[in-house]
Amino acid sequence: IQDHTPQEREIGVAGPELSSREKDYITGILCMTVFIQCFIVSQFPPFLTPLILYDFNYGKNVVGCILAIYPACAILAGYWSPWVLNNITKKNILLCSLVMQLLGAFGVGILTYITYDNDLLFLGLAFLFIALLGLGAGFAEAMVYTTISEVYPLEEVPSKLSSVQISFGLGMMMGPSLGAILHSLGNFFAAFASGGTISLCLFVLTVMRFPNLPLNANIRHSHKHTFKFFRSIPAIYGLSAACVVLALTAILMNFVTPLMMQEFDISQNSSALLICIQPFVYTIAYTPFASVVSQSERKWTFISVGILLQVIGLMFFLPPDEHEDYHVISPIFGFTVAAFQMIFISLAVIPTILEDVEDRFPDPPEEVLDGVTAMFVLSQNVGDVIGSILSGFLIDSMDYRGTYTTAAFVGFCFVFTFTVLLWNYKPHTQLGASMSETRSEEDHKPLLDDIDNSNISQK
């Protein structure tokens, strides 16, 4: 958006070529793409994890490593997404992503038909199909945000992104709930095949209705220079670390909690319905809180509150003593608190970094602004990878209470350090604009020249 003309900012980069109906089709298909991704991956904890753990008798550390394949492949896809967006049309990227989601969903479903003595075949197919889902999600995620920023005027982008976030919540809610209904009928395959069927329907709709958008020549594959630019922004480290911690604790809730509840004689279907509470509250409360967070001058305060809520939410999942019953009211409160944490973080992290970038560097390069979202997504995926592997090893080495207590302690230490550091953090203000511009141009001129020279040489 930074390099676009005033007319392009008013009508969107691709605005003159698209009618309002075509834009509606684009928004609907993109929202459905996000919905399908969340619909499929939300079925992993309540259904895929018990299959690996109890039917094939693998350890919890192996389960964590298998689940880590999905975010690891999403990171790989995110890294190469600038090159893909430069060389492949968005419609073809979306179609390839849907094919990966379709094959991955049906593939995970057929894992239940593999006999228990074929360990190598099971592990190989699980790796293949989960990797397909991760790659498809990574490429589609990059394409969704880029397409919305091109198609719509600048003032309409936040509302369209809100629709994407609501689709995220709906997918995370509908996946376990519909999967529980199908799984209660005794059909593991149908739970995942439902996601593949939706992907197939959306594939047909995309072929028929998604317009052919031009290649984005403004997206540059300059990760090295982008990260070099970010080194001068103190907030980027704390906010990225916050995303990692949040992803870690989310994995502990969504991966560890279903296993623990089943050991206390709570069925898979009941645990799946409990997981739906978090996205349900997120979907309802997202829009009202969006206006509150957007009007705040110190958005990082909501980040600290969100991390603290995550730590508090973990305490609700602590298992009872051996002679006590496990009451489902406790995880209900835990998932509800975690939903508000997701809202505060998702609404505050990216605007905080953007404000810091624009305050410190007038007229920053476009790839740096694009990299803010990439850093946010990358931090979450890194947290998912570490959290999946770490939570499996923690459960094998200690009990559930020790796992939750360790995660809560680490989260509390982080939120205390994070709050103290940012409490005294004072971003540049417009009152010192002339000094800021002079300092930015002098101190960071070599850095900006590196980015410009990289772009020239690449062209």
Side-chain angles (χ1 to χ4, degrees):
I1 296 175
Q2 184 73 18
D3 293 342
H4 299 159
T5 64
Q7 183 182 5
E8 289 175 336
R9 296 186 189 185
E10 290 179 1
I11 61 177
V13 179
E17 304 174 5
L18 300 173
S19 64
S20 59
R21 180 182 293 271
E22 288 176 321
K23 291 184 179 181
D24 292 338
Y25 279 127
I26 290 175
T27 304
I29 291 175
L30 295 181
C31 289
M32 282 298 299
T33 302
V34 175
F35 173 86
I36 291 173
Q37 295 171 6
C38 299
F39 182 92
I40 296 174
V41 75
S42 62
Q43 296 180 355
F44 284 3
F47 305 122
L48 180 61
T49 298
L51 177 71
I52 302 172
L53 189 63
Y54 300 124
D55 292 352
F56 286 88
N57 296 320
Y58 286 109
K60 297 182 179 68
N61 54 347
V62 177
V63 176
C65 293
I66 292 176
L67 294 180
I69 296 171
Y70 183 92
C73 291
I75 293 174
L76 183 64
Y79 181 82
W80 289 105
S81 59
W83 182 89
V84 172
L85 288 168
N86 266 338
N87 295 274
I88 305 176
T89 62
K90 295 179 178 59
K91 183 174 182 177
N92 289 333
I93 295 174
L94 183 57
L95 292 175
C96 292
S97 173
L98 290 173
V99 170
M100 293 180 185
Q101 298 290 317
L102 187 155
L103 295 177
F106 279 107
V108 172
I110 66 173
L111 293 178
T112 188
Y113 296 113
I114 299 177
T115 57
Y116 300 149
D117 55 343
N118 292 328
D119 291 347
L120 292 179
L121 177 62
F122 176 83
L123 289 177
L125 291 179
F127 179 89
L128 173 63
F129 295 134
I130 295 176
L132 279 175
L133 291 172
L135 290 172
F139 286 124
E141 191 171 49
M143 189 272 299
V144 166
Y145 293 103
T146 304
T147 303
I148 289 178
S149 65
E150 290 182 2
V151 170
Y152 288 96
L154 183 59
E155 62 273 9
E156 295 184 21
V157 170
S159 63
K160 301 305 176 183
L161 292 180
S162 297
S163 301
V164 173
Q165 293 297 325
I166 292 175
S167 301
F168 164 83
L170 289 174
M172 297 296 291
M173 178 177 60
M174 293 298 296
S177 58
L178 181 59
I181 296 175
L182 296 174
H183 191 270
S184 63
L185 301 176
N187 197 333
F188 174 88
F189 173 78
F192 284 94
S194 59
T197 304
I198 300 174
S199 299
L200 178 60
C201 296
L202 186 59
F203 179 90
V204 176
L205 180 62
T206 303
V207 172
M208 296 174 59
R209 295 297 184 182
F210 198 88
N212 292 313
L213 300 175
L215 291 174
N216 190 346
N218 292 325
I219 298 181
R220 309 172 185 85
H221 196 193
S222 54
H223 297 86
K224 180 178 69 175
H225 298 286
T226 301
F227 284 110
K228 186 178 179 182
F229 191 87
F230 277 149
R231 292 177 192 171
S232 304
I233 307 172
I236 195 70
Y237 299 108
L239 300 180
S240 298
C243 296
V244 171
V245 170
L246 293 174
L248 282 170
T249 49
I251 282 292
L252 288 176
M253 285 195 303
N254 296 328
F255 168 40
V256 180
T257 302
L259 297 179
M260 182 184 67
M261 287 191 290
Q262 290 187 36
E263 292 191 6
F264 283 94
D265 297 328
I266 297 177
S267 66
Q268 286 181 258
N269 298 331
S270 298
S271 63
L273 295 176
L274 285 173
I275 294 175
C276 295
I277 295 174
Q278 181 176 354
F280 175 74
V281 176
Y282 176 89
T283 303
I284 294 177
Y286 182 87
T287 302
F289 277 93
S291 59
V292 177
V293 177
S294 62
Q295 295 175 3
S296 174
E297 295 182 357
R298 307 192 76 173
K299 294 181 177 61
W300 61 262
T301 306
F302 289 95
I303 302 173
S304 298
V305 173
I307 302 174
L308 183 61
L309 287 176
Q310 186 74 300
V311 175
I312 296 173
L314 283 173
M315 305 309 295
F316 285 102
F317 293 97
L318 288 176
D321 296 332
E322 295 182 0
H323 303 290
E324 297 180 3
D325 295 330
Y326 189 82
H327 299 288
V328 295
I329 191 66
S330 181
I332 288 176
F333 280 113
F335 282 122
T336 302
V337 172
F340 287 100
Q341 162 266 314
M342 289 176 58
I343 293 173
F344 290 153
I345 295 298
S346 61
L347 288 173
V349 166
I350 294 180
T352 301
I353 304 177
L354 284 176
E355 290 176 1
D356 194 5
V357 171
E358 293 173 352
D359 284 340
R360 290 176 173 270
F361 307 102
D363 194 21
E366 183 183 2
E367 59 266 35
V368 174
L369 298 178
D370 294 337
V372 171
T373 302
M375 288 288 290
F376 177 70
V377 175
L378 176 64
S379 301
Q380 289 182 311
N381 288 328
V382 170
D384 288 341
V385 172
I386 300 174
S388 298
I389 298 174
L390 184 62
S391 55
F393 282 97
L394 284 176
I395 301 174
D396 276 344
S397 59
M398 60 181 69
D399 58 6
Y400 290 105
R401 179 176 288 271
T403 302
Y404 281 117
T405 304
T406 302
F409 176 76
V410 172
F412 179 79
C413 293
F414 178 82
V415 71
F416 177 79
T417 305
F418 178 81
T419 304
V420 171
L421 290 176
L422 283 187
W423 187 263
N424 297 320
Y425 171 70
K426 297 179 180 180
H428 293 186
T429 60
Q430 297 299 327
L431 296 177
S434 59
M435 296 180 60
S436 175
E437 292 178 6
T438 303
R439 180 167 56 255
S440 298
E441 292 175 358
E442 293 178 355
D443 295 348
H444 303 282
K445 188 177 185 300
L447 182 58
L448 298 175
D449 289 343
D450 286 344
I451 297 177
D452 292 337
N453 293 334
S454 173
N455 296 332
I456 294 173
S457 61
Q458 185 172 2
K459 291 178 182 178

